[in-house]
Amino acid sequence: MAFSLGWKTSRSQWCFLQAVSSGLPLFPWRTAGSCLDPEMKAYLEENTEVTSSGSLTPEIQLRLLTPRCKFWWERADLWPYSDPYWAIYWPGGQALSRYLLDNPDVVRGKSVLDLGSGCGATAIAAKMSGASKILANDIDPIAGMAITLNCKLNGLNPFPILTENILNIQQGKFDLIVLGDMFYDEDLADSLHLWLENYFWNHRTRVLIGDPGRPQFSGHSIRHQLHQLEEYILPEPTQQDNNGLTTSAVWDFQP
């Protein structure tokens, strides 16, 4: 696969840190349906595949890069837009989404922030499980378009999407924060840990983290503040696409 985890680590760290340093305004979210540029939408639909197989959540349909897509095999630099991290259903997000679908009381009637939303699967799972308010956050505007398309695939009205970096933006209170596969880089993990601690103590918000046990997560100091809620065996296709990772877990943040 051209878009490998190593590629994600180097490019997305740079993009994330650029956004953190830019001093962004308060709540620059948009209603997802308003950002569907027709040309870009057509390109995404042409170069992705709708699938619900090979993941922990067959209930959720997603538009993803698969081996039947041209850009699964092409060099990453030939993709004409920002790097499509949203086009992979990463294993931490799969675990979080499965957990919310199996435990709807965690989100029913609650406000949820999906941090680093990517394809939007965890936000979609929260909506399916009865969340009253959802904000999906991803710094890539194209991820916002992908989330909108994926909402419609699953018969959901698109929810608000924040396409600026949230770590430097003053936020109101959410009942629950979910984030998957975000601890893949040490510096980013440190920034997230500090932000999550501050947010928790300011708002007493519950935080759930999904991760398949990458070294940057397993060896990070945040692990001393986590309680494992569930661990899932990853489907064989997900294992193959993620360098042989076999399980993914959901953790409750308890600083």
Side-chain angles (χ1 to χ4, degrees):
M1 181 177 66
F3 295 109
S4 68
L5 183 61
W7 164 81
K8 175 183 177 180
T9 300
S10 60
R11 279 292 298 274
S12 62
Q13 177 193 3
W14 180 85
C15 292
F16 191 93
L17 294 176
Q18 286 292 102
V20 167
S21 66
S22 63
L24 296 164
L26 179 66
F27 281 123
W29 72 46
R30 66 190 74 188
T31 301
S34 67
C35 61
L36 291 179
D37 174 80
E39 182 179 347
M40 189 181 298
K41 176 177 179 288
Y43 194 88
L44 297 190
E45 291 177 335
E46 179 183 351
N47 288 285
T48 56
E49 180 184 24
V50 175
T51 180
S52 60
S53 64
S55 78
L56 289 170
T57 57
E59 306 96 315
I60 299 177
Q61 294 191 84
L62 298 169
R63 186 167 286 284
L64 302 172
L65 278 174
T66 74
R68 288 175 290 278
C69 300
K70 178 177 70 171
F71 281 98
W72 183 272
W73 307 104
E74 292 279 11
R75 298 196 324 270
D77 60 354
L78 294 179
W79 179 262
Y81 301 111
S82 53
D83 298 336
Y85 313 131
W86 53 266
I88 305 297
Y89 194 7
W90 302 98
Q94 290 191 32
L96 273 175
S97 301
R98 181 72 269 156
Y99 185 79
L100 297 185
L101 291 170
D102 290 345
N103 299 275
D105 288 346
V106 172
V107 294
R108 185 179 292 121
K110 296 179 179 178
S111 58
V112 179
L113 169 63
D114 183 14
L115 181 60
S117 190
C119 66
T122 302
I124 288 169
K127 186 68 173 178
M128 288 178 166
S129 297
S132 61
K133 170 187 171 184
I134 294 173
L135 176 61
N137 171 229
D138 197 292
I139 62 172
D140 183 357
I142 301 177
M145 176 176 291
I147 293 168
T148 300
L149 294 175
N150 288 333
C151 283
K152 293 180 178 180
L153 283 175
N154 292 280
L156 301 176
N157 291 325
F159 32 73
I161 299 166
L162 173 67
T163 57
E164 306 290 356
N165 184 274
I166 203 168
L167 301 193
N168 277 9
I169 301 173
Q170 181 181 351
Q171 292 292 329
K173 182 182 184 299
F174 288 90
D175 299 316
L176 176 68
I177 295 175
V178 291
L179 61 157
D181 304 287
M182 293 291 283
F183 286 80
Y184 55 84
D185 172 83
E186 192 171 315
D187 291 338
L188 174 56
D190 289 345
S191 297
L192 283 170
H193 187 193
L194 178 61
W195 188 86
L196 291 171
E197 275 194 328
N198 290 336
Y199 196 95
F200 177 88
W201 291 116
N202 285 331
H203 301 289
R204 299 291 177 169
T205 292
R206 190 179 189 188
V207 178
L208 299 181
I209 298 173
D211 195 273
R214 296 188 183 93
Q216 299 91 333
F217 176 74
S218 299
H220 197 273
S221 60
I222 197 172
R223 279 292 301 272
H224 301 298
Q225 299 173 307
L226 299 176
H227 170 69
Q228 184 173 303
L229 298 175
E230 193 65 75
E231 185 174 42
Y232 301 94
I233 297 175
L234 293 168
E236 184 63 29
T238 301
Q239 293 186 30
Q240 293 175 359
D241 294 343
N242 288 273
N243 302 313
L245 293 170
T246 58
T247 63
S248 189
V250 176
W251 303 82
D252 197 359
F253 183 50
Q254 299 175 350

